[in-house]
Amino acid sequence: MTKIGRRDFVNYLLGFGGISAIAAIFYPIGRYLVPPPIREAEPTTLKVGSIDEFPANSSKIVRFGRKPVILIRDSGENIHALTATCTHLDCIVQFSEDRQQIICACHNGVYDLTGKNVSGPPPKPLTEFAVKVIDKEIVISQMKA
Amino acid sequence: MSNFFDSRVARWLDDRLDLSPIKNLVEHKKVPIHHHTVWYYMGGVTLFLFLVQVFSGILLLMYYRPGENSAYESMQFITSKVHFGWLIRNIHAWGANIMVLFAFIHMFSVFFTKAFKRPRELTWATGFILLVLAMGFGFSGYLLPWNELAFFATKVGTDIAGVVPIIGEKLKIVLRGGDDVTGATLSRFFGIHVAILPALTTVLLGLHLLFVQRQGMSEPEFFEELPEAKKHYIPFFPDFVLRDALLWLVVLIIILSLAVFFPWELGLKADPLASAPMGIRPEWYFMFMFQSLKFLPPHILFFEGETLGVLFFAVAGIFWMLIPFVKLQNGSINESKFFTYFGLATLAFMLGMTILGYLV
Ligand code: HEM
Ligand code: FES
């Protein structure tokens, strides 16, 4: 059996203490820098205004919980609601009236009105929301997966 | 200068603090004169620009108020109401761009004159970190006016951090101070811009300058090979320093002219519920990386194209920082030529991508 000398023992003790001290300083700092998640009740439905005030070929962006949602009424009667954040790098998309498509000005991403990514860099479609009109009031809600 | 060291003040200080290292520097440092001498001024200009940023930044701090509902408003106040506020803001904005420009020029000039080689490996490495810090200053400062362009550029820039494997998502959240770019991001960027980066830069700049003073000016190969009689030098004090000062004055005048004749727009206030406007671009010194990412296909083997791109630039940056340690097999190729071609290729790639980024 090798004997650990008194000097080695003290060195180990100091080394161990030093590492613990460093950990005890940096662990809380690291944790501090990660922001705590904000728990907001995710709404399941949202009233977004009267259909009379939402003419054909127009769009608006509303806040659904913490997420921006784009509401589009095409040239006909259809109303679409989709997440407004581009799946590429997080820009906010817009409705192009003459192309009847959704475009992202950041890097020319293009989606159709159901949110499907048709050209440009976006890798995934926009998430669709269910749209209902109840007593002339537009109501959007999360689709069941 | 030399008579200063004979003065009573100097002798009093010398008794207590030993001024001989400073005296040595002042009396003996010399600068080689050859047809690449002009590059010796680039680090000094960068240093001057850093000082300009510190001063103008502190002045802006007197009125700037970070926050979703106050940042943009306080910038409006500075540029429209405060006496000379427009001037201070524009000096800071132009100075930032020109400082990064000169840091790049300085870096490539020490590269091509091979001043990075032994014994200046650490000078080079600290210099590279300074350049990265300068780019960090640019990225974090850009968001502070909380206008539309900056808001979306920051969304895109921090989202790119998210593609880094494993730690990307955490990194993005730490950078943004949450899932999205919000007022929390603004607070964080403010802290990074006015406290963390200045502290780190001061330490690294101190080391960088200490190394430069300890080693003296590097002499390019062709100069070293000259017979002693053909080597010309000028004293650092006062000859070179006075020329430095003159050049700094010229640079200051250029910044002032740019600030007066080409002021920066404040633009529209950021609105998280507005569509992104056309023309979202990173600042010019990020353009080469950004443009390269755009050329990558969405998927390469099992990876997302962007992930590979980001990893590539991280590795390339580290390689560039460690380039003085690269040893070539002796004999086979002329090392000096090899570095020159490698530097030219790097520079051509960066310039080409930047130009493409502005054309398309
Ligand atoms: C904030 C940015 C920087 C400042 C303020 C700065 C400042 C300076 C100053 C004042 C000098 C002495 C004068 C000269 O030779 O030009 C110098 C030298 C030097 N710098 Fe920098 N620098 C910065 C960034 C960089 C970068 C990005 C690199 C390269 C990666 C670098 C590498 C060097 C080297 C190798 C020298 C020695 C050159 C020689 O002895 O001839 N520096 N720097
Ligand atoms: S962020 Fe929408 S296309 Fe890039």
Side-chain angles (χ1 to χ4, degrees):
Chain A
M1 198 183 97
T2 51
K3 252 176 76 183
I4 296 178
R6 188 200 304 245
R7 201 173 276 272
D8 289 337
F9 180 72
V10 172
N11 276 342
Y12 283 131
L13 213 59
L14 282 176
F16 182 73
I19 291 168
S20 315
I22 290 171
I25 292 168
F26 284 99
Y27 178 75
I29 294 177
R31 295 292 301 196
Y32 178 86
L33 289 176
V34 179
I38 303 167
R39 266 180 243 293
E40 243 177 88
E42 279 279 309
T44 45
T45 59
L46 180 73
K47 289 184 185 175
V48 286
S50 148
I51 183 133
D52 294 335
E53 287 156 24
F54 196 47
N57 274 324
S58 67
S59 69
K60 67 177 171 184
I61 294 172
V62 296
R63 194 185 279 281
F64 190 92
R66 284 192 292 136
K67 302 252 171 296
V69 169
I70 186 164
L71 207 62
I72 297 169
R73 178 153 172 199
D74 60 20
S75 41
E77 284 297 298
N78 300 323
I79 298 175
H80 307 269
L82 306 143
T83 46
T85 33
C86 185
T87 55
H88 179 220
L89 293 173
D90 219 23
C91 281
I92 307 272
V93 297
Q94 56 185 290
F95 170 53
S96 161
E97 197 190 309
D98 34 311
R99 294 162 61 174
Q100 294 291 309
Q101 280 178 321
I102 298 167
I103 59 172
C104 175
C106 283
H107 319 101
N108 305 320
V110 181
Y111 303 86
D112 69 16
L113 291 185
T114 66
K116 196 167 154 290
N117 44 323
V118 284
S119 75
K124 280 184 289 196
L126 300 171
T127 313
E128 252 192 304
F129 286 76
V131 181
K132 283 199 208 99
V133 181
I134 303 167
D135 290 340
K136 298 213 150 194
E137 181 90 43
I138 308 169
V139 179
I140 60 175
S141 55
Q142 222 135 32
M143 283 208 187
K144 301 280 177 301
Chain B
M1 211 53 194
S2 53
N3 26 11
F4 167 75
F5 289 103
D6 301 329
S7 70
R8 288 185 52 189
V9 180
R11 264 183 286 136
W12 189 88
L13 285 170
D14 194 32
D15 277 346
R16 288 154 183 84
L17 299 168
D18 182 18
L19 296 185
S20 57
I22 301 176
K23 186 162 185 253
N24 223 6
L25 176 80
V26 167
E27 286 174 359
H28 299 298
K29 183 168 177 173
K30 57 192 175 133
V31 180
I33 297 294
H34 48 74
H35 59 269
H36 285 311
T37 300
V38 54
W39 303 117
Y40 291 138
Y41 292 94
M42 299 303 140
V45 170
T46 314
L47 174 64
F48 171 66
L49 287 162
F50 178 65
L51 297 178
V52 169
Q53 290 313 97
V54 172
F55 279 111
S56 55
I58 290 173
L59 289 175
L60 286 175
L61 266 181
M62 302 289 125
Y63 290 102
Y64 177 78
R65 287 177 294 134
E68 252 169 313
N69 296 315
S70 59
Y72 182 83
E73 289 74 4
S74 70
M75 286 308 293
Q76 259 179 336
F77 182 70
I78 291 173
T79 47
S80 63
K81 298 271 163 46
V82 179
H83 296 295
F84 292 110
W86 60 273
L87 184 64
I88 304 297
R89 188 224 165 186
N90 277 293
I91 289 175
H92 199 72
W94 272 114
N97 283 280
I98 297 183
M99 170 171 150
V100 175
L101 177 67
F102 272 96
F104 270 110
I105 296 176
H106 173 52
M107 178 175 80
F108 277 106
S109 66
V110 293
F111 185 82
F112 286 118
T113 53
K114 315 282 157 33
F116 62 88
K117 288 193 178 172
R118 194 189 138 87
R120 295 186 176 74
E121 300 95 329
L122 294 176
T123 320
W124 170 266
T126 49
F128 179 79
I129 299 173
L130 281 169
L131 177 71
V132 173
L133 292 174
M135 292 170 84
F137 265 117
F139 186 67
S140 56
Y142 194 46
L143 180 68
L144 299 184
W146 199 244
N147 58 18
E148 210 182 23
L149 286 181
F151 176 73
F152 283 107
T154 305
K155 260 169 114 56
V156 171
T158 48
D159 215 57
I160 289 177
V163 309
V164 176
I166 305 167
I167 57 162
E169 213 36 45
K170 263 267 154 60
L171 186 66
K172 180 169 111 181
I173 291 177
V174 168
L175 273 174
R176 288 183 170 180
D179 290 321
D180 296 305
V181 175
T182 59
T185 319
L186 186 54
S187 301
R188 223 156 249 227
F189 275 38
F190 179 65
I192 292 173
H193 191 78
V194 307
I196 298 179
L197 290 175
L200 290 176
T201 305
T202 306
V203 172
L204 277 143
L205 190 56
L207 287 174
H208 193 68
L209 296 178
L210 179 73
F211 296 159
V212 170
Q213 296 315 334
R214 293 283 294 180
Q215 295 168 330
M217 295 302 206
S218 81
E219 302 183 356
E221 242 168 55
F222 68 83
F223 186 87
E224 272 187 333
E225 286 162 5
L226 291 178
E228 283 308 312
K230 284 255 168 77
K231 291 186 183 175
H232 295 298
Y233 295 93
I234 54 171
F236 185 69
F237 282 100
D239 301 46
F240 190 78
V241 170
L242 287 177
R243 283 166 218 219
D244 248 345
L246 189 63
L247 186 59
W248 293 10
L249 205 60
V250 171
V251 170
L252 184 62
I253 290 170
I254 293 174
I255 294 183
L256 288 175
S257 315
L258 288 167
V260 171
F261 296 113
F262 303 97
W264 288 77
E265 302 257 349
L266 191 51
L268 295 172
K269 184 176 169 178
D271 174 358
L273 291 184
S275 304
M278 296 304 270
I280 296 297
R281 280 206 186 110
E283 290 191 282
W284 60 266
Y285 40 88
F286 292 115
M287 189 52 115
F288 73 97
M289 292 192 266
F290 189 71
Q291 187 62 24
S292 317
L293 290 187
K294 275 212 228 168
F295 281 131
L296 293 173
H299 297 285
I300 303 172
L301 299 175
F302 306 105
F303 299 97
E304 275 188 40
E306 266 147 13
T307 308
L308 278 193
V310 167
L311 288 181
F312 169 78
F313 280 115
V315 172
I318 293 172
F319 177 74
W320 187 248
M321 176 169 102
L322 298 180
I323 210 160
F325 299 99
V326 172
K327 285 277 165 296
L328 299 176
Q329 290 297 323
N330 46 353
S332 50
I333 8 175
N334 178 331
E335 196 177 80
S336 178
K337 277 238 174 68
F338 172 80
F339 279 121
T340 303
Y341 290 135
F342 183 74
L344 284 175
T346 307
L347 191 59
F349 170 76
M350 289 171 66
L351 287 178
M353 282 297 175
T354 306
I355 292 169
L356 275 178
Y358 283 94
L359 290 183
V360 291

